[in-house]
Amino acid sequence: MPRPSLSDPIARLLAVHAETRRHLQAVARDDTPLAPPFADWIEGPARIAHDILEQQLFPALIESMAGSDAVCLQGMTGGLARDRADLDRRWRQIIRPALACAPTSAVPDAREALAAWAGDYLAWLERADTELLPMAARLLDDAALDGLAGDCARLDR
């Protein structure tokens, strides 16, 4: 798949989500070793993309709306942010430590926790990709998209 244009931040975020989804689906199927690249991806590009969503895209999207539509968007983005905070907490407190201690295939409880976390993360990605990002592509003006494209440069580091 060709890399999305640097000037299309929505496509770049969707591409990071697609790669994150690929990693999570492999983990959920239990057909991949949990090598350091998995954790590196989750703690690197996946985390950067979610920071961009919460710190830049969510506020820009809410600012683009007025009245009751903005209130609805605040509820949607607030729910995604809360769910993401829960995913991050579970990653730090349960999943990451389990990955560091032993292969999760050797620890059934850890494998179950990882599978549940991966499933919840996949559901989060689905909501972001089908509800929020298409809306952002329609509603954000060129200046907001240009600012978001600059923020997406962090994905290349």
Side-chain angles (χ1 to χ4, degrees):
M1 179 168 95
R3 185 178 192 168
S5 166
L6 296 178
S7 63
D8 187 349
I10 303 300
R12 293 196 67 206
L13 291 166
L14 286 167
V16 170
H17 285 184
E19 182 64 14
T20 303
R21 188 175 287 106
R22 187 186 69 73
H23 283 285
L24 292 168
Q25 287 168 338
V27 165
R29 285 189 312 267
D30 194 19
D31 66 356
T32 184
L34 295 172
F38 172 74
D40 291 346
W41 180 264
I42 296 299
E43 293 175 349
R47 173 149 301 150
I48 291 169
H50 298 305
D51 289 347
I52 291 168
L53 285 178
E54 291 179 16
Q55 296 167 12
Q56 280 79 32
L57 187 122
F58 290 2
L61 193 54
I62 291 167
E63 186 177 306
S64 75
M65 299 297 284
S68 62
D69 290 332
V71 172
C72 179
L73 271 175
Q74 285 174 331
M76 179 188 295
T77 59
L80 282 168
R82 282 187 303 278
D83 291 348
R84 180 68 197 156
D86 178 61
L87 288 167
D88 283 345
R89 179 192 55 74
R90 290 164 55 200
W91 172 260
R92 284 188 321 274
Q93 293 177 358
I94 301 166
I95 307 302
R96 188 64 166 117
L99 293 177
C101 292
T104 57
S105 59
V107 183
D109 290 344
R111 181 48 85 173
E112 287 179 24
L114 177 60
W117 176 82
D120 290 346
Y121 199 153
L122 286 165
W124 188 95
L125 289 168
E126 181 68 20
R127 286 178 29 224
D129 290 357
T130 60
E131 297 172 12
L132 189 75
L133 289 171
M135 187 184 312
R138 288 190 315 274
L139 295 177
L140 295 181
D141 62 19
D142 289 342
L145 288 170
D146 288 345
L148 197 57
D151 293 329
C152 284
R154 294 174 28 212
L155 293 167
D156 295 328
R157 293 184 193 153

